[in-house]
């Protein structure tokens, strides 16, 4: 009976270890997928220097889009600290903070939903 209990405990331990390993691999794949999506999204970001300050709706949408991207990047780096974006996270956070101020100064209203 004791041998059977030991065997069952060993099976449970091994099953848990294999589950943790597979979850770790899934998380690594998820990080790579997130990074790929961020690369694509970054290439499609609107440029603030193209948006006319006289055209407030376009300016606000541009600011909000870049702020949302910076927030996604921050979340990604928190989840995946070894990401290729980890080095750029501080600069993107500065951009997000600066754009948030411009967003408020131009009396923009949020349009994107989380």
């Amino acid at each position: 009976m004791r041998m059977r209990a030991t065997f069952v405990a060993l099976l449970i331990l091994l099953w848990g270890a294999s589950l943790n390993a597979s979850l770790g691999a899934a998380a690594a794949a998820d990080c790579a997928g997130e990074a790929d999506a961020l690369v694509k999204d970054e290439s499609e970001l609107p440029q603030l220097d193209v948006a006319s300050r006289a055209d407030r709706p376009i300016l606000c949408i541009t600011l909000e889009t870049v702020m949302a991207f910076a927030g996604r990047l921050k979340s990604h780096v928190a989840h995946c600290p070894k990401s290729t974006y980890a080095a750029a996270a501080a600069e993107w956070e500065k951009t997000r903070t600066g754009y948030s101020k411009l967003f408020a100064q131009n009396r923009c209203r949020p349009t994107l939903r989380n």
Side-chain angles (χ1 to χ4, degrees), residues 51-65 103 106-109 111:
S52 168
R53 298 218 185 260
D55 192 0
R56 201 173 103 208
I58 298 297
L59 176 66
C60 292
I61 290 169
T62 300
L63 291 169
E64 188 175 19
T65 302
F103 194 79
N106 285 286
R107 291 183 253 135
C108 297
R109 294 183 183 170
T111 58

Short mmCIF file of all heavy atoms in Angstrom, two decimals, residues 51-65 103 106-109 111:
data_model
loop_
_atom_site.label_atom_id
_atom_site.label_comp_id
_atom_site.label_asym_id
_atom_site.label_seq_id
_atom_site.Cartn_x
_atom_site.Cartn_y
_atom_site.Cartn_z
N ALA A 51 0.31 64.71 -38.65
CA ALA A 51 -1.00 65.20 -38.20
C ALA A 51 -0.94 66.70 -37.97
O ALA A 51 -0.10 67.20 -37.23
CB ALA A 51 -1.41 64.49 -36.92
N SER A 52 -1.83 67.42 -38.61
CA SER A 52 -1.88 68.87 -38.45
C SER A 52 -2.50 69.23 -37.11
O SER A 52 -3.52 68.66 -36.70
CB SER A 52 -2.73 69.47 -39.58
OG SER A 52 -3.03 70.81 -39.31
N ARG A 53 -1.91 70.17 -36.41
CA ARG A 53 -2.45 70.61 -35.13
C ARG A 53 -3.78 71.33 -35.32
O ARG A 53 -4.59 71.41 -34.40
CB ARG A 53 -1.46 71.51 -34.41
CG ARG A 53 -0.16 70.80 -34.11
CD ARG A 53 0.39 71.21 -32.78
NE ARG A 53 1.68 70.62 -32.53
CZ ARG A 53 1.87 69.56 -31.77
NH1 ARG A 53 0.85 68.97 -31.21
NH2 ARG A 53 3.07 69.08 -31.57
N ALA A 54 -4.03 71.83 -36.51
CA ALA A 54 -5.30 72.50 -36.79
C ALA A 54 -6.44 71.49 -36.95
O ALA A 54 -7.60 71.83 -36.75
CB ALA A 54 -5.17 73.34 -38.06
N ASP A 55 -6.11 70.29 -37.31
CA ASP A 55 -7.12 69.24 -37.50
C ASP A 55 -7.17 68.40 -36.22
O ASP A 55 -6.57 67.33 -36.12
CB ASP A 55 -6.75 68.39 -38.71
CG ASP A 55 -7.88 67.46 -39.13
OD1 ASP A 55 -8.96 67.49 -38.48
OD2 ASP A 55 -7.70 66.72 -40.10
N ARG A 56 -7.88 68.92 -35.22
CA ARG A 56 -7.89 68.32 -33.90
C ARG A 56 -8.34 66.85 -33.86
O ARG A 56 -7.73 66.04 -33.18
CB ARG A 56 -8.71 69.16 -32.93
CG ARG A 56 -8.34 68.87 -31.49
CD ARG A 56 -9.02 69.80 -30.54
NE ARG A 56 -10.12 69.03 -29.95
CZ ARG A 56 -11.23 69.54 -29.50
NH1 ARG A 56 -11.45 70.81 -29.54
NH2 ARG A 56 -12.16 68.77 -28.98
N PRO A 57 -9.38 66.46 -34.59
CA PRO A 57 -9.78 65.04 -34.54
C PRO A 57 -8.65 64.10 -34.98
O PRO A 57 -8.41 63.08 -34.33
CB PRO A 57 -10.98 64.95 -35.46
CG PRO A 57 -11.56 66.32 -35.45
CD PRO A 57 -10.37 67.25 -35.34
N ILE A 58 -7.96 64.46 -36.05
CA ILE A 58 -6.86 63.62 -36.53
C ILE A 58 -5.72 63.62 -35.52
O ILE A 58 -5.14 62.57 -35.22
CB ILE A 58 -6.35 64.10 -37.91
CG1 ILE A 58 -7.46 64.01 -38.96
CG2 ILE A 58 -5.11 63.33 -38.34
CD1 ILE A 58 -7.95 62.61 -39.24
N LEU A 59 -5.41 64.77 -34.96
CA LEU A 59 -4.36 64.88 -33.94
C LEU A 59 -4.70 64.00 -32.74
O LEU A 59 -3.86 63.25 -32.24
CB LEU A 59 -4.18 66.33 -33.51
CG LEU A 59 -3.18 66.57 -32.38
CD1 LEU A 59 -1.77 66.23 -32.83
CD2 LEU A 59 -3.27 68.00 -31.89
N CYS A 60 -5.94 64.08 -32.28
CA CYS A 60 -6.36 63.31 -31.10
C CYS A 60 -6.30 61.81 -31.36
O CYS A 60 -5.84 61.04 -30.51
CB CYS A 60 -7.76 63.73 -30.67
SG CYS A 60 -7.85 65.40 -30.01
N ILE A 61 -6.74 61.39 -32.53
CA ILE A 61 -6.70 59.97 -32.88
C ILE A 61 -5.26 59.48 -32.95
O ILE A 61 -4.92 58.40 -32.48
CB ILE A 61 -7.45 59.71 -34.20
CG1 ILE A 61 -8.94 59.90 -33.99
CG2 ILE A 61 -7.14 58.32 -34.75
CD1 ILE A 61 -9.75 59.93 -35.27
N THR A 62 -4.39 60.30 -33.53
CA THR A 62 -2.97 59.95 -33.61
C THR A 62 -2.36 59.80 -32.22
O THR A 62 -1.70 58.80 -31.93
CB THR A 62 -2.20 61.01 -34.42
OG1 THR A 62 -2.75 61.07 -35.74
CG2 THR A 62 -0.72 60.68 -34.49
N LEU A 63 -2.61 60.77 -31.36
CA LEU A 63 -2.08 60.71 -30.00
C LEU A 63 -2.60 59.48 -29.26
O LEU A 63 -1.84 58.74 -28.62
CB LEU A 63 -2.46 61.98 -29.22
CG LEU A 63 -1.79 63.28 -29.67
CD1 LEU A 63 -2.46 64.48 -29.00
CD2 LEU A 63 -0.30 63.25 -29.36
N GLU A 64 -3.89 59.25 -29.35
CA GLU A 64 -4.50 58.14 -28.63
C GLU A 64 -3.99 56.79 -29.15
O GLU A 64 -3.75 55.86 -28.37
CB GLU A 64 -6.02 58.20 -28.76
CG GLU A 64 -6.73 57.20 -27.89
CD GLU A 64 -8.24 57.35 -27.93
OE1 GLU A 64 -8.77 57.98 -28.87
OE2 GLU A 64 -8.88 56.83 -27.02
N THR A 65 -3.79 56.68 -30.45
CA THR A 65 -3.30 55.43 -31.03
C THR A 65 -1.88 55.12 -30.55
O THR A 65 -1.58 53.99 -30.16
CB THR A 65 -3.33 55.51 -32.57
OG1 THR A 65 -4.66 55.78 -33.00
CG2 THR A 65 -2.84 54.23 -33.21
N PHE A 103 -2.55 65.23 -25.30
CA PHE A 103 -3.94 64.78 -25.41
C PHE A 103 -4.84 65.65 -24.53
O PHE A 103 -5.89 66.12 -24.97
CB PHE A 103 -4.03 63.30 -25.00
CG PHE A 103 -5.30 62.61 -25.37
CD1 PHE A 103 -5.52 62.16 -26.65
CD2 PHE A 103 -6.27 62.37 -24.41
CE1 PHE A 103 -6.69 61.50 -26.99
CE2 PHE A 103 -7.44 61.71 -24.73
CZ PHE A 103 -7.66 61.27 -26.03
N ASN A 106 -4.94 69.45 -25.76
CA ASN A 106 -5.79 69.65 -26.94
C ASN A 106 -7.25 69.29 -26.68
O ASN A 106 -8.04 69.25 -27.61
CB ASN A 106 -5.24 68.81 -28.10
CG ASN A 106 -3.99 69.43 -28.68
OD1 ASN A 106 -4.07 70.43 -29.37
ND2 ASN A 106 -2.85 68.85 -28.37
N ARG A 107 -7.57 69.04 -25.43
CA ARG A 107 -8.93 68.69 -25.01
C ARG A 107 -9.51 67.55 -25.83
O ARG A 107 -10.67 67.58 -26.27
CB ARG A 107 -9.83 69.93 -25.05
CG ARG A 107 -9.44 70.93 -23.99
CD ARG A 107 -10.35 72.12 -23.98
NE ARG A 107 -9.58 73.24 -24.54
CZ ARG A 107 -10.03 74.09 -25.43
NH1 ARG A 107 -11.25 74.02 -25.86
NH2 ARG A 107 -9.26 75.04 -25.89
N CYS A 108 -8.68 66.52 -26.02
CA CYS A 108 -9.11 65.34 -26.76
C CYS A 108 -9.98 64.47 -25.86
O CYS A 108 -9.84 64.48 -24.64
CB CYS A 108 -7.90 64.53 -27.23
SG CYS A 108 -6.82 65.42 -28.38
N ARG A 109 -10.84 63.72 -26.48
CA ARG A 109 -11.69 62.78 -25.76
C ARG A 109 -11.30 61.36 -26.17
O ARG A 109 -11.11 61.10 -27.37
CB ARG A 109 -13.15 63.00 -26.10
CG ARG A 109 -13.66 64.31 -25.60
CD ARG A 109 -15.12 64.43 -25.90
NE ARG A 109 -15.61 65.75 -25.48
CZ ARG A 109 -16.78 66.21 -25.79
NH1 ARG A 109 -17.60 65.50 -26.56
NH2 ARG A 109 -17.16 67.39 -25.36
N THR A 111 -11.46 57.72 -27.48
CA THR A 111 -12.36 57.02 -28.40
C THR A 111 -12.11 55.53 -28.40
O THR A 111 -12.99 54.76 -28.74
CB THR A 111 -12.23 57.54 -29.83
OG1 THR A 111 -10.87 57.39 -30.25
CG2 THR A 111 -12.65 59.00 -29.93
#
